Amino acid sequence: MPEQIRVAVNGYGVIGKRVADAVRLQSDMELVGVSDRRPDYRIESGVVRGLPLFVSDAELIEDFRSAGIEPAGTLDDLLAQADVVVDCTPKGVPAANLPRYRAAGVKVIVQGGEAHAFAGHSFVAQANYAEALGREMTRVVSCNTTSVVRTLGALREAGLLARARGVLIRRATDPWESHESGIMDTLVPERHIPSHQGPDAKDVLPDLDVVTMAVKAAHTHGHLHYWFVEMTREATRDEVVEAFRRTPRIAFVRESDGIVALNSTQELMRDLGRPRGDMWEVALWEDILSVSGRELYYTYEVDNEAIVVPENIDAIRALMGTVTDAETSMRMTDESLGMAREFLRPLAERQVTRA
Amino acid sequence: MPEQIRVAVNGYGVIGKRVADAVRLQSDMELVGVSDRRPDYRIESGVVRGLPLFVSDAELIEDFRSAGIEPAGTLDDLLAQADVVVDCTPKGVPAANLPRYRAAGVKVIVQGGEAHAFAGHSFVAQANYAEALGREMTRVVSCNTTSVVRTLGALREAGLLARARGVLIRRATDPWESHESGIMDTLVPERHIPSHQGPDAKDVLPDLDVVTMAVKAAHTHGHLHYWFVEMTREATRDEVVEAFRRTPRIAFVRESDGIVALNSTQELMRDLGRPRGDMWEVALWEDILSVSGRELYYTYEVDNEAIVVPENIDAIRALMGTVTDAETSMRMTDESLGMAREFLRPLAERQVTRA
């Protein structure tokens, strides 16, 4: 067995804690530790689950000790043991961390909150894994952008994509902070058209003709996308469904199975035993998708907390160069997490027995 | 002064009560009464405000008397005094009422819940007032469809409209029944693409190239629309803004005025002293609207409880043939209600004095 990649996770928040768990599931990776600044219930739950915990700065050690948590060291101690760091700190913080990463000689993955220019490369495994091979840094694009690249990438791969126009209905806030930054009984349009996700997708696939608009709604979990796509030619509904079906990390859901809203998929993830109820796949409604001549219309859900987790795992392998092709890395990641191409049995495979 | 049009309103619900109030504001109309089936707080509030109240069926009179309300008669008694009835009963009920309307010889207006074929004509004042002149029946299209016809009609009138694709984010339920049919913390996509509003708009303007998709969100008041419009040619942002500005029943709102969400317009309507906080206009965000070459993007709000009220008033005049041109009727309606082309002073008209 080859040497394992030693991974540090800086920032044990919504993304960081999920990436840390996913790293621990990889046979070719070792989680050497996580680093954070605040010793609250989230950190303590990581300690309970056996995570080696480090603190961002030495001056914070006493805060952690006061909360009954003994850190294994500082972020610099953690970096000294790592090959690569996944920075999951809040937007803007990675810039301040960069000198410490450089000093430690670790490769760096940042999240979609940072600008493309900061990392010099934006990553979605299925679209441009090879470009990241051996790089010092990459940026895993945001949840919405990841979903855009996966879905439009699927249509592009099938030679069907001419241009795409999408409306993104975003969750107000993440569940863990819905007591302080949610909204109630309203919708909040984004100030600018186009919203950033279209241009962000072009950081990954520069030739996309894509425009997005976005609005914040009064719910806490998951984004819903609506797309108008102009195809390169007339195509059948089956052709389009097949293009999505053969693309990894897109899974079909169906109204006919009772998956009729965001909360349905969330209940399904819990019933399937997913950790934290996470859905790493884009959940695309197979039976709402509609085709009219050269136009295609569809809607899908994005679990904003989970969708970038497999991308971070693949980005680790790409930077380290230990797996040189996207398909192999994605298969390793997807199998380790238990990702699905169908959450339920496809209709065609179900045996209906009548008395 | 010419004889007044004698108007009956059947169904004193969300739309009916607003139409009744609006009829009372018209100098050329007399509200002879409203009819309903259930003697609850809504009816009693109408009685308090001096509405002549009738009951749908004689057998319901005792229910009303038990609730302390003495009806002026039955629906048939009401119809006998009326020239026209505005049917605001729930979807599907007008079919059962029709024989009574026919027997009374009154003209009939139904709402957007009924099929186009039921009325044989679908009405939006600015688009097809003349077609309804002298007809026996018309259908005022639904709130969303009314807004689609107003806005796309404006672009069509300006010669700018090639095709339009829209996403409608609908309120979960009306405020008055949010205790029993709301949704929380989720989004519910409509089962079918396209949603009905696009085809409905073609009932009014048959040559429209329009497709809509719709989703129900976790709020109770107002719909938000996002539109991708392909124009017939490249146009400037100013040209587009001007096309909307000269169209009645579309009013601009601005982020720069602090109108940043649905709740902002609702607070504004209350501050402006609007009855029930109603917004009869389409509220279009002037400073979010964006143009790129031949493409146009914008978002607007529809007050689903109020937007069809002025259309019902105009439909009354059209069926009766007392006012033969749309502009005159719309001006009468809009002035009587106090409708605005700008809710606030346009930026250009504001004096900014600096110390």
Side-chain angles (χ1 to χ4, degrees):
Chain A
M1 186 170 156
E3 208 175 323
Q4 289 192 307
I5 303 170
R6 298 172 304 164
V7 181
V9 173
N10 187 17
Y12 193 70
V14 169
I15 302 301
K17 62 191 179 185
R18 289 174 165 85
V19 169
D21 282 354
V23 167
R24 294 213 283 186
L25 293 172
Q26 308 308 310
S27 58
D28 59 338
M29 298 181 193
E30 177 198 357
L31 180 73
V32 293
V34 301
S35 176
D36 207 290
R37 303 181 60 82
R38 282 177 299 179
D40 66 6
Y41 74 92
R42 294 166 300 143
I43 298 297
E44 172 64 12
S45 76
V47 172
V48 166
R49 297 178 60 233
L51 280 186
L53 176 80
F54 297 76
V55 291
S56 308
D57 292 299
E59 63 193 22
L60 298 169
I61 289 179
E62 279 313 313
D63 291 354
F64 280 73
R65 286 183 178 148
S66 307
I69 299 171
E70 181 61 39
T74 66
L75 172 60
D76 299 304
D77 298 327
L78 172 61
L79 296 173
Q81 304 171 46
D83 301 309
V84 57
V85 61
V86 185
D87 189 318
C88 302
T89 61
K91 182 176 175 172
V93 176
N97 292 332
L98 203 51
R100 299 168 77 178
Y101 299 158
R102 296 282 190 230
V106 294
K107 299 200 178 226
V108 181
I109 295 166
V110 296
Q111 307 302 312
E114 310 316 306
H116 174 74
F118 178 76
H121 185 256
S122 293
F123 182 90
V124 173
Q126 73 185 60
N128 65 356
Y129 182 96
E131 289 175 14
L133 283 173
R135 286 186 57 89
E136 290 304 308
M137 193 178 348
T138 192
R139 161 199 183 229
V140 170
V141 296
S142 73
C143 54
N144 280 314
T145 307
T146 298
S147 74
V148 171
V149 173
R150 284 188 193 166
T151 52
L152 296 186
L155 298 172
R156 182 173 171 273
E157 189 71 18
L160 291 173
L161 181 67
R163 64 176 187 170
R165 302 292 181 260
V167 173
L168 285 53
I169 307 159
R170 300 174 50 203
R171 61 93 180 85
T173 188
D174 286 330
W176 76 274
E177 58 184 352
S178 64
H179 59 289
E180 60 182 14
S181 52
I183 60 172
M184 278 180 70
D185 204 16
T186 192
L187 295 172
V188 187
E190 287 209 0
R191 272 169 187 267
H192 298 291
I193 296 175
S195 59
H196 71 85
Q197 295 87 0
D200 276 2
K202 293 190 217 181
D203 290 337
V204 181
L205 293 174
D207 61 350
L208 287 184
D209 181 351
V210 57
V211 176
T212 51
M213 304 193 277
V215 53
K216 195 159 70 173
H219 67 281
T220 61
H221 205 120
H223 306 305
L224 193 69
H225 289 209
Y226 275 89
W227 286 90
F228 298 99
V229 171
E230 194 173 306
M231 297 189 284
T232 50
R233 57 177 172 81
E234 288 202 10
T236 65
R237 194 179 173 287
D238 284 350
E239 241 182 312
V240 172
V241 166
E242 198 42 50
F244 284 131
R245 196 186 301 280
R246 65 172 170 259
T247 304
R249 299 178 182 175
I250 298 174
F252 286 122
V253 290
R254 288 174 287 267
E255 289 265 354
S256 62
D257 284 327
I259 304 293
V260 297
L262 299 189
N263 56 311
S264 320
T265 67
Q266 290 149 25
E267 193 71 0
L268 176 61
M269 292 305 110
R270 300 201 299 175
D271 287 347
L272 292 175
R274 290 287 181 97
R276 296 186 175 90
D278 285 356
M279 183 169 71
W280 305 288
E281 303 86 348
V282 171
L284 198 149
W285 265 274
E286 183 180 4
D287 50 3
I288 296 183
L289 180 151
S290 172
V291 171
S292 173
R294 281 178 57 174
E295 283 190 85
L296 161 65
Y297 319 108
Y298 56 87
T299 183
Y300 60 75
E301 177 180 351
V302 177
D303 180 345
N304 53 288
E305 298 179 306
I307 187 178
V308 300
V309 171
E311 309 297 332
N312 273 280
I313 298 299
D314 293 322
I316 291 169
R317 289 196 193 94
L319 294 191
M320 297 305 297
T322 53
V323 175
T324 52
D325 69 293
E327 292 66 30
T328 303
S329 175
M330 291 175 75
R331 195 178 57 243
M332 291 168 71
T333 303
D334 295 2
E335 285 178 6
S336 71
L337 292 175
M339 288 177 71
R341 303 296 278 273
E342 291 268 3
F343 296 122
L344 302 168
R345 292 170 298 161
L347 288 178
E349 292 176 16
R350 295 187 207 177
Q351 294 284 339
V352 178
T353 310
R354 285 202 176 79
Chain B
M1 186 168 152
E3 206 175 324
Q4 289 193 308
I5 303 170
R6 299 172 304 165
V7 182
V9 173
N10 188 16
Y12 193 68
V14 169
I15 301 302
K17 61 191 180 184
R18 288 174 167 85
V19 169
D21 282 355
V23 167
R24 294 213 281 188
L25 292 172
Q26 309 309 309
S27 58
D28 59 340
M29 297 181 195
E30 176 198 358
L31 180 73
V32 291
V34 301
S35 177
D36 206 290
R37 302 181 60 82
R38 283 176 300 179
D40 66 5
Y41 74 94
R42 293 166 300 143
I43 299 297
E44 172 65 13
S45 76
V47 173
V48 167
R49 296 177 60 233
L51 281 186
L53 176 79
F54 296 75
V55 291
S56 309
D57 293 299
E59 63 192 22
L60 297 170
I61 289 180
E62 279 312 313
D63 291 353
F64 280 73
R65 285 184 179 147
S66 308
I69 299 171
E70 181 61 39
T74 65
L75 172 60
D76 299 304
D77 298 326
L78 172 62
L79 296 173
Q81 305 172 44
D83 302 308
V84 57
V85 60
V86 185
D87 188 318
C88 303
T89 61
K91 181 177 175 173
V93 176
N97 293 332
L98 204 51
R100 300 167 78 178
Y101 299 157
R102 296 283 189 228
V106 294
K107 300 202 178 224
V108 181
I109 294 166
V110 296
Q111 307 301 311
E114 309 317 306
H116 174 75
F118 178 77
H121 186 254
S122 294
F123 182 89
V124 174
Q126 72 184 62
N128 64 355
Y129 182 96
E131 289 175 12
L133 283 172
R135 286 186 59 89
E136 290 304 308
M137 193 179 349
T138 192
R139 162 198 183 228
V140 170
V141 296
S142 72
C143 54
N144 280 313
T145 307
T146 299
S147 75
V148 171
V149 173
R150 285 188 193 167
T151 52
L152 296 186
L155 297 173
R156 182 173 170 273
E157 189 70 20
L160 290 173
L161 181 65
R163 65 175 187 168
R165 301 291 179 262
V167 173
L168 285 54
I169 307 160
R170 301 174 48 205
R171 60 92 181 87
T173 188
D174 286 332
W176 77 274
E177 57 183 352
S178 64
H179 60 289
E180 60 182 14
S181 53
I183 60 171
M184 278 182 67
D185 204 16
T186 192
L187 295 172
V188 186
E190 288 208 359
R191 271 168 187 269
H192 298 289
I193 295 174
S195 58
H196 71 85
Q197 295 86 1
D200 276 2
K202 292 191 220 183
D203 290 337
V204 182
L205 294 175
D207 62 350
L208 287 184
D209 181 350
V210 58
V211 175
T212 50
M213 302 192 278
V215 54
K216 194 159 72 173
H219 66 282
T220 61
H221 204 120
H223 305 305
L224 193 69
H225 289 207
Y226 275 89
W227 285 90
F228 298 99
V229 170
E230 192 172 305
M231 297 189 285
T232 50
R233 57 174 172 81
E234 288 201 9
T236 64
R237 195 180 172 287
D238 284 350
E239 241 182 311
V240 172
V241 167
E242 199 41 51
F244 285 130
R245 195 185 305 279
R246 66 173 171 258
T247 304
R249 300 180 182 174
I250 298 174
F252 285 124
V253 291
R254 287 172 287 267
E255 288 265 353
S256 62
D257 282 328
I259 305 293
V260 296
L262 300 188
N263 56 309
S264 320
T265 67
Q266 291 150 24
E267 191 72 3
L268 176 61
M269 291 307 108
R270 301 201 300 174
D271 287 347
L272 291 174
R274 291 286 181 97
R276 297 187 175 90
D278 284 355
M279 183 168 73
W280 305 288
E281 303 86 347
V282 171
L284 197 150
W285 266 273
E286 183 180 7
D287 50 4
I288 296 183
L289 180 151
S290 172
V291 171
S292 173
R294 282 178 57 174
E295 282 190 86
L296 161 64
Y297 319 109
Y298 56 86
T299 183
Y300 60 74
E301 178 180 350
V302 177
D303 181 345
N304 52 288
E305 297 180 307
I307 186 176
V308 299
V309 171
E311 308 297 331
N312 273 281
I313 297 300
D314 294 322
I316 292 169
R317 289 198 192 92
L319 294 191
M320 296 306 297
T322 54
V323 175
T324 53
D325 68 295
E327 292 65 31
T328 304
S329 175
M330 291 175 75
R331 194 177 58 245
M332 291 167 71
T333 304
D334 295 1
E335 284 177 7
S336 70
L337 293 175
M339 286 177 71
R341 303 295 278 273
E342 291 269 1
F343 297 120
L344 302 169
R345 294 171 297 160
L347 288 176
E349 292 176 16
R350 296 188 207 175
Q351 294 284 339
V352 179
T353 311
R354 286 203 174 77

